[in-house]
Amino acid sequence: MNKNYFAGIDVGSTAIKVALVDEDGKMAGEHVTPSGSLFHKNSLAALADLLAQTGVQRERVRYLIATGYGRKLFKEADDSISEITANAMGAFETGKAYGGVRTIINIGGQDSKAIQIDDTGSVVHFVMNDKCAAGTGRFLDVAARNLELDLEELGEYHFKGTCAPLKINSTCTVFAESEIIGLLANGHGKSEIIAGIHYSIAVRTARLARRVGLEKHVYFDGGPALNKGLVAALQEELGCQIIVPEFPQTTTAFGAAILARNEFLAEVEDAH
Amino acid sequence: MKPNKPARKVAGKSPTNVPVKALHPHLQALRDAVNQVDFNRFRFWFQLVAFVLFVYGGYLAIDLGSKLPFFSCGYNKEGRAGVCYLLPLQHQLGRPLAMLFTAAGLTILTGFLTFALWFIVLNKGWCGFVCPLGTLQDWITALRKSLGIRYAKYSQSQFAQLTKIKYVLLALMILIPLGIGGGLFSHDMSPPFCLICPARMILPVFTADFSQFTVDFSTKTAVVMTVLGMLVTALFLVGSFVKKRFFCFFCPMSALHYLISKAALFKLKKDGDKCTRCGDCYRVCDMEIKEIADDVTTKDIMTDDCTLCLKCVASCPEPGALKATFCGIPIFEATEAGFIQRMQKGHSDAH
Amino acid sequence: MHTKAHTVIPIQPVPYSRSRQAGESQTVLDQITKDFDDNPQAMQYFYDLFQKVYCQGEAVPHEGMLVGTTCIQAPEELIYAFGATPMRLCNGSYHYDQRGGDFMPAKSCSLVKATLGMLSAEHVIPNIGKPDLIVNPTTCDQKKKSSAMIEGLGYAVFDLEFPNVKESEASRVYWQRAVREFAQRLRTLTGKKLTRKNLRAAIAKIARAQVAFRKLHHFRQLSPSIILGKDAFLVTNAYFFDNIDSWTAAVEKLNEELAQREQDGIRAVQKKAPRVLFTGSPPIFPNLKLPLLIEESGGVVVADETCSSNRMLYDMTAVDEWWLNDMVDSLADKYLKPCTCPIFTKNDDRKRRLLELVNQFQADGVVYQAFAGCQVYEMEVKSVADAFNQAGIPMLYIETDYSPDDKGQMSTRIEAFLESLKAKKKRQA
């Protein structure tokens, strides 16, 4: 097969996400793996895994764009692009199926962002919270650990609660740990605590999103978007319906792959 | 994103500047020469020629009519090359009221029209470049400078009060002759403004005519008027010594000008977007007009006190922020090069 | 009895050039010189200057008495007229920022912390010696309050009273009087009289420097750019402490080279490099973090509205009659009237200036930097953002400080912004 493929690799602080896109811009495969401490080695491995998974030869990947915090380290890439632009493009493309997306909310392992895009998928405005772990995936990690649960279980526990969600007062993830332990010790239920944590994150995220301006439709991606409880809390805070894609973790990598395809086609056109 | 690629020599293709309407090179050279002119020297010579023309032109039988929009004093009987409009205006208004409603009254309108036609050519530029009384004040200022004496300034509140006086004088200049025509005032008050105008006494002196320096004892009114005239002239001489263009603040001709200035062909325009409000124009303005610096929305920036002397344009460092236009065509514009040249002259000039 | 022998590690004095503080400056200077190709040759003067002063710690000479200034509002013409030398003390070093953090409130602006940190140090870099007087205009709150602190550190300080409202006649008169007070103070300090001749010469000296700067400023209007912002910032930062005559000569040489570059068609960036206007808290060497990030990411800083560059040298003085009082009042007016510092109540002049700069320099977008803790710049973000929004000009607001550890986050934002500018340009093409 002599088809062309394009790849995007999102080298995040917690996980490495890779996405493959074909000539027509359709998703051909995606893969998520923990970053570990050896970013470069693990990135190469992630790419290799994805290619093995999809049966595509490396030479057929005509353009590769790296994004995420570790993008500059991945020298095998043809170009690097900020995760904001990549996320925007990824959300724009997948959002077409839902009637068009204008506001993107992303909660990552260590940061959260809100992006406003226009009708071509270009970034109009963005705000980031990358100074503080509160309101990011790290908060959920800490909470899960304290409650002795798996991350994947947090979502279902959210809906099990019989009482109102508890209010988590600490603004700092580290101090919130003590608060959670204290609540457990006082006999409060895990569900109410989890719901409280979700609302705490939702409030912060909603504030961020409002700064960028909420426009229909609102799209939510990043690893934590898999958490249905968090999605519910966020929807309630924002007061509007949120679109969550099937694979929220790889939206950014997918966007990078789409941009890789665009860049390649543009270069081909320039050459003519 | 890729970092900046190294500089590449591209033969022949030079970087483009902000697109500016390209002028014919000769026209551009002319424009540059005008904008970078030694402004003070240019104005000095212009004023000198105008002064000689209107104070002595009569000897060469030059007569430019009696509707002139500046103080080409009628009392300078031999030398005048035309008469200041205010004199015939007051006489016309001073005719018996009944006459005003006859055909003779039409002459007031035609007279005014002639005046207006003269006026619109240079707008208030007649004040700044031609008026002999104005020129005289500038010479007195030069005398003061050569004696090493500083000038006086008004505070903003003083300015606000004093600037209204010219309208009061204009009103009186029109009402009193009407009053005379209506029999309310004696003819010895006619022409009321000329009797107190310093030009009446001073300009004839230039043709060795000292006859105006008298007090007319014939009637009480005449005494009052002529003494008033002496006082005003004295005030004029002292005032213009300590303050630049002292008289122009109170000039009824200036007020009259301003009322019809909208129609003028010669204008002072400001582009507020380019103005940095540095106040350089305000600093050099003889009339201490603040709006020239602070108003960034008005385009037609000439105020009622302005004499259109264009010193502001000459001292503005922001290209295009201020310009003098004739029928919309820029004649003299603020340029950086012009500013720098003129200030550098100031840096090195010995006083 | 068993005494454990303990080793005493002697304190080895490290020469300045090998200290961490010098390392900070060296890193930035290396970035400026080595990360970019084809720097103008005339820039070597400035590279060498910063190498000597910031990396080797060489002494910076001055003529007459040394008057330190903490703000561009201090009329330098007066200082020169009294035979003294002015030097701007505002500091950009993270090392001093940390030092100042020892005794300053945690939330203070990095610039003030660094300046105070520097003044509290034993050996000050740049090595200018101890100022005979420090002039501290009462502009922003933190500067105002640091006046007493600086005095406490053992310096002679003069509070130059600067108004907070620029439109009123009262503040204009107030400022004129303050400038005269300053002249009086300088007279006491230097024991010299202010003469017309000296003041004229001082005004002429600074005017020459301003003319040279303006020429450089105009060269940056060319598209594609022929000189990068990192170099322009270095040039204006050098003005803080370099001898003004050598500085002016060096800039004039640079202008000659740029004129040649223009003729030869040499560019410093690609045609599609986004053109950025930089505004806000001043980047001062070695804290050229954001401008460098912008240019390393493929953008070019074509113009700025900051007090460490453009605002310091742009506005020129006009005098009508060259009397002593007239010159002093003209200077006062020049320092107050066009000033676009955010310490004023209204910022209409700043907004107009920014819009005009975007227009003149064909900027594609604006980067607005505010140091964390700088309330005045932070509070103006909204009105400036609204003004740019209305004009359809993209703006990126970044709050940062002197610490080098947010480079990752900064580069993400800046790259995203530059990418959006490029995409916009492509769409409009």
Side-chain angles (χ1 to χ4, degrees):
Chain A
M1 278 205 297
N2 274 341
K3 280 204 177 160
N4 289 333
Y5 286 88
F6 310 96
I9 181 162
D10 179 2
V11 188
S13 51
T14 328
I16 297 173
K17 287 81 73 178
V18 210
L20 203 60
V21 142
D22 66 17
E23 278 179 337
D24 305 314
K26 290 226 176 23
M27 173 80 111
E30 42 95 56
H31 184 56
V32 181
T33 180
S35 304
S37 51
L38 303 167
F39 274 25
H40 191 228
K41 182 161 165 279
N42 293 338
S43 302
L44 284 170
L47 182 60
D49 284 345
L50 177 62
L51 292 177
Q53 201 182 304
T54 52
V56 174
Q57 305 283 354
R58 178 68 182 85
E59 307 78 61
R60 297 294 354 141
V61 178
R62 301 306 299 275
Y63 211 89
L64 170 62
I65 285 186
T67 183
Y69 276 126
R71 65 187 177 280
K72 295 264 164 66
L73 300 167
F74 196 64
K75 303 246 187 287
E76 282 74 7
D78 293 297
D79 200 358
S80 69
I81 209 156
S82 74
E83 60 256 42
I84 293 167
T85 309
N87 196 344
M89 183 51 78
F92 174 68
E93 286 293 326
T94 42
K96 279 180 183 165
Y98 300 96
V101 153
R102 283 286 182 278
T103 308
I104 302 157
I105 298 173
N106 169 287
I107 297 181
Q110 284 183 344
D111 65 17
S112 57
K113 46 179 109 61
I115 307 168
Q116 198 193 86
I117 58 173
D118 64 12
D119 51 9
T120 65
S122 295
V123 174
V124 172
H125 192 34
F126 65 90
V127 278
M128 283 181 82
N129 162 35
D130 49 11
K131 287 217 169 92
C132 173
T136 70
R138 184 54 49 91
F139 196 10
L140 291 169
D141 286 343
V142 165
R145 185 163 31 99
N146 285 334
L147 297 166
E148 294 174 330
L149 293 172
D150 287 327
L151 264 182
E152 294 76 24
E153 295 179 87
L154 290 178
E156 63 177 271
Y157 265 85
H158 176 97
F159 297 104
K160 278 203 213 157
T162 46
C163 315
L166 289 167
K167 192 150 188 315
I168 308 294
N169 292 316
S170 302
T171 44
C172 172
T173 303
V174 175
F175 294 150
E177 251 192 296
S178 321
E179 201 176 339
I180 291 168
I181 292 169
L183 287 168
L184 275 174
N186 280 341
H188 289 288
K190 282 188 184 177
S191 288
E192 286 77 21
I193 295 173
I194 288 167
I197 290 165
H198 288 162
Y199 279 105
S200 176
I201 297 174
V203 163
R204 220 164 256 126
T205 310
R207 196 180 300 147
L208 203 68
R210 275 191 285 268
R211 271 170 58 196
V212 102
L214 287 169
E215 274 190 44
K216 285 176 76 166
H217 295 273
V218 181
Y219 184 100
F220 180 30
D221 65 39
L226 289 163
N227 179 335
K228 294 200 166 42
L230 179 58
V231 174
L234 188 55
Q235 251 176 197
E236 206 183 299
E237 271 306 308
L238 288 174
C240 65
Q241 192 73 23
I242 306 178
I243 299 166
V244 180
E246 197 187 340
F247 303 109
Q249 270 185 303
T250 50
T251 307
T252 302
F254 174 57
I258 295 283
L259 287 165
R261 175 178 170 270
N262 293 349
E263 197 57 36
F264 178 76
L265 292 175
E267 278 184 4
V268 163
E269 217 184 283
D270 276 345
H272 288 138
Chain B
M1 274 186 72
K2 295 202 176 85
N4 281 316
K5 282 217 180 87
R8 283 170 284 131
K9 263 195 172 69
V10 181
K13 235 186 178 184
S14 22
T16 48
N17 204 337
V18 180
V20 157
K21 206 165 58 180
L23 282 178
H24 189 272
H26 286 161
L27 197 55
Q28 186 62 46
L30 177 63
R31 256 233 183 127
D32 286 343
V34 170
N35 289 335
Q36 291 171 36
V37 75
D38 183 343
F39 183 75
N40 290 340
R41 199 190 297 168
F42 169 78
R43 190 156 165 253
F44 171 76
W45 285 104
F46 197 104
Q47 284 179 308
L48 181 61
V49 168
F51 188 90
V52 167
L53 173 60
F54 289 103
V55 173
Y56 297 104
Y59 292 120
L60 294 173
I62 300 176
D63 184 1
L64 295 168
S66 60
K67 310 288 183 288
L68 297 179
F70 51 87
F71 289 116
S72 173
C73 189
Y75 288 83
N76 176 19
K77 295 200 180 69
E78 294 197 357
R80 69 189 198 204
V83 182
C84 157
Y85 176 60
L86 297 185
L87 177 56
L89 177 65
Q90 289 166 82
H91 278 314
Q92 284 179 330
L93 290 173
R95 291 201 216 118
L97 275 180
M99 276 193 81
L100 286 179
F101 298 101
T102 65
L106 270 175
T107 58
I108 299 182
L109 279 168
T110 54
F112 185 75
L113 226 62
T114 316
F115 163 77
L117 284 174
W118 269 105
F119 168 72
I120 63 172
V121 175
L122 277 190
N123 199 346
K124 275 158 130 292
W126 291 111
C127 306
F129 284 83
V130 180
C131 178
L133 202 59
T135 304
L136 197 56
Q137 291 174 84
D138 289 338
W139 290 348
I140 294 175
T141 296
L143 174 65
R144 168 181 60 75
K145 285 207 286 210
S146 69
L147 291 175
I149 302 175
R150 249 197 101 204
Y151 59 87
K153 289 206 299 220
Y154 293 130
S155 73
Q156 278 298 308
S157 46
Q158 287 172 332
F159 182 103
Q161 303 300 328
L162 293 171
T163 186
K164 297 181 195 148
I165 294 181
K166 56 166 120 14
Y167 293 103
V168 173
L169 288 178
L170 178 64
L172 289 174
M173 190 187 78
I174 293 175
L175 293 173
I176 295 180
L178 287 174
I180 295 173
L184 285 173
F185 303 121
S186 112
H187 272 276
D188 290 324
M189 274 188 87
S190 174
F193 181 72
C194 293
L195 286 173
I196 62 166
C197 180
R200 172 175 70 86
M201 298 208 196
I202 300 179
L203 287 182
V205 169
F206 284 87
T207 51
D209 177 1
F210 294 89
S211 60
Q212 297 298 325
F213 277 99
T214 50
V215 177
D216 186 352
F217 287 103
S218 50
T219 66
K220 242 197 294 196
T221 317
V223 171
V224 168
M225 293 307 287
T226 47
V227 167
L228 209 52
M230 298 275 227
L231 288 173
V232 171
T233 303
L235 183 62
F236 169 84
L237 288 169
V238 172
S240 41
F241 189 79
V242 298
K243 181 138 192 359
K244 294 183 274 190
R245 287 284 180 136
F246 172 76
F247 179 77
C248 301
F249 244 109
F250 313 110
C251 181
M253 175 75 86
S254 173
L256 189 56
H257 279 181
Y258 190 64
L259 294 176
I260 60 174
S261 64
K262 271 255 158 62
L265 302 173
F266 190 61
K267 289 196 176 205
L268 180 64
K269 292 263 196 226
K270 177 165 177 175
D271 184 351
D273 287 337
K274 302 202 164 63
C275 174
T276 57
R277 292 228 261 184
C278 69
D280 282 353
C281 49
Y282 175 33
R283 282 228 64 81
V284 303
C285 179
D286 287 347
M287 306 301 291
E288 295 181 53
I289 298 169
K290 199 157 191 260
E291 280 79 4
I292 186 74
D294 289 347
D295 184 340
V296 291
T297 44
T298 312
K299 291 205 163 21
D300 234 326
I301 198 73
M302 189 189 81
T303 63
D304 57 355
D305 295 301
C306 180
T307 59
L308 229 50
C309 68
L310 304 183
K311 281 172 81 174
C312 51
V313 181
S315 70
C316 174
E318 301 305 315
L322 283 173
K323 53 181 159 212
T325 62
F326 189 79
C327 299
I329 306 167
I331 303 288
F332 182 52
E333 247 185 284
T335 55
E336 201 177 273
F339 172 88
I340 291 169
Q341 265 191 332
R342 289 175 209 121
M343 283 306 130
Q344 277 175 345
K345 188 156 183 298
H347 292 154
S348 53
D349 255 353
H351 249 293
Chain C
M1 278 219 309
H2 191 72
T3 48
K4 233 182 170 166
H6 59 271
T7 39
V8 175
I9 302 168
I11 299 176
Q12 301 245 3
V14 178
Y16 173 73
S17 52
R18 284 199 273 125
S19 68
R20 273 192 318 198
Q21 183 185 357
E24 183 194 344
S25 300
Q26 190 71 59
T27 311
V28 176
L29 193 58
D30 285 343
Q31 266 184 301
I32 292 175
T33 51
K34 299 188 180 130
D35 285 359
F36 300 85
D37 294 311
D38 212 2
N39 295 317
Q41 282 186 327
M43 280 303 297
Q44 198 57 46
Y45 170 88
F46 298 98
Y47 299 153
D48 290 341
L49 180 68
F50 277 91
Q51 182 70 36
K52 277 195 301 224
V53 173
Y54 274 88
C55 305
Q56 315 283 47
E58 277 185 30
V60 179
H62 61 86
E63 287 169 18
M65 299 193 125
L66 181 63
V67 177
T69 65
T70 56
C71 176
I72 55 171
Q73 299 310 122
E76 297 196 336
E77 288 88 344
L78 282 179
I79 298 174
Y80 281 118
F82 279 97
T85 305
M87 270 195 204
R88 179 100 171 269
L89 298 174
C90 297
N91 195 281
S93 148
Y94 181 54
H95 172 93
Y96 283 136
D97 176 29
Q98 295 287 78
R99 209 199 149 82
D102 285 345
F103 54 90
M104 289 279 284
K107 293 199 185 141
S108 343
C109 143
S110 291
L111 199 158
V112 179
K113 271 196 284 181
T115 308
L116 285 176
M118 175 187 86
L119 291 173
S120 72
E122 283 268 318
H123 302 290
V124 165
I125 299 294
N127 190 351
I128 58 177
K130 183 170 177 179
D132 297 294
L133 176 70
I134 294 182
V135 176
N136 191 41
T138 57
T139 45
C140 59
D141 277 351
Q142 294 187 43
K143 210 160 279 200
K144 222 167 33 191
K145 297 307 286 178
S146 55
S147 165
M149 282 182 147
I150 297 175
E151 246 179 2
L153 291 171
Y155 296 91
V157 178
F158 178 77
D159 290 323
L160 182 55
E161 295 182 58
F162 194 75
N164 288 139
V165 176
K166 65 186 302 210
E167 289 81 12
S168 71
E169 185 63 13
S171 55
R172 183 171 167 255
V173 172
Y174 173 62
W175 172 239
Q176 283 176 343
R177 243 184 263 146
V179 171
R180 285 174 198 219
E181 280 283 319
F182 178 49
Q184 279 294 91
R185 181 72 180 88
L186 286 172
R187 182 184 173 158
T188 322
L189 174 76
T190 59
K192 300 202 174 106
K193 268 189 79 173
L194 185 62
T195 65
R196 260 172 67 188
K197 185 158 158 264
N198 288 342
L199 187 50
R200 257 184 140 148
I203 292 178
K205 204 205 292 253
I206 291 196
R208 260 198 311 273
Q210 289 184 311
V211 170
F213 167 76
R214 279 217 178 193
K215 232 184 170 160
L216 173 63
H217 180 75
H218 292 316
F219 274 122
R220 295 172 75 192
Q221 280 184 350
L222 293 170
S223 174
S225 306
I226 60 175
I227 184 169
L228 289 174
K230 53 133 185 142
D231 286 332
F233 273 118
L234 207 62
V235 168
T236 47
N237 274 194
Y239 185 79
F240 283 26
F241 58 87
D242 195 16
N243 172 281
I244 190 174
D245 294 317
S246 358
W247 186 90
T248 308
V251 178
E252 282 163 358
K253 252 186 114 201
L254 176 63
N255 287 337
E256 279 169 24
E257 186 176 340
L258 291 178
Q260 191 61 47
R261 275 197 165 195
E262 182 187 357
Q263 241 191 348
D264 296 341
I266 297 183
R267 307 168 179 164
V269 293
Q270 300 172 302
K271 200 154 71 128
K272 51 185 177 151
R275 295 167 69 85
V276 172
L277 168 67
F278 192 92
T279 178
S281 301
I284 299 175
F285 186 90
N287 178 37
L288 296 181
K289 179 169 64 173
L290 284 190
L292 273 171
L293 264 176
I294 293 172
E295 297 193 329
E296 280 170 348
S297 307
V300 54
V301 178
V302 291
D304 70 275
E305 189 267 328
T306 62
C307 60
S308 59
S309 187
N310 192 328
R311 287 211 268 123
M312 191 167 61
L313 288 159
Y314 189 76
D315 300 300
M316 303 187 73
T317 322
V319 184
D320 188 27
E321 296 184 13
W322 298 80
W323 308 114
L324 200 56
N325 281 337
D326 215 34
M327 285 192 269
V328 174
D329 283 347
S330 285
L331 286 174
D333 274 355
K334 181 208 68 164
Y335 277 97
L336 173 63
K337 287 187 67 61
C339 179
T340 53
C341 183
I343 55 117
F344 295 115
T345 48
K346 301 218 170 47
N347 70 347
D348 299 310
D349 285 342
R350 180 168 180 228
K351 287 187 282 197
R352 284 183 324 108
R353 184 74 148 257
L354 287 169
L355 290 170
E356 184 60 20
L357 281 170
V358 167
N359 197 14
Q360 270 182 357
F361 284 79
Q362 295 175 297
D364 299 310
V366 180
V367 170
Y368 187 131
Q369 164 180 265
F371 291 148
C374 175
Q375 268 206 317
V376 285
Y377 267 122
E378 287 171 334
M379 284 189 80
E380 280 206 357
V381 174
K382 183 169 190 311
S383 73
V384 171
D386 287 344
F388 278 132
N389 213 355
Q390 257 194 334
I393 298 163
M395 181 183 104
L396 173 69
Y397 168 53
I398 292 191
E399 188 194 287
T400 181
D401 57 18
Y402 280 10
S403 68
D405 40 290
D406 63 356
K407 277 228 185 92
Q409 291 116 321
M410 294 298 111
S411 72
T412 303
R413 287 168 163 80
I414 285 175
E415 279 180 37
F417 183 62
L418 292 175
E419 285 154 12
S420 71
L421 292 181
K422 262 193 175 175
K424 189 172 175 205
K425 257 170 107 153
K426 229 187 251 178
R427 274 202 311 278
Q428 286 172 342

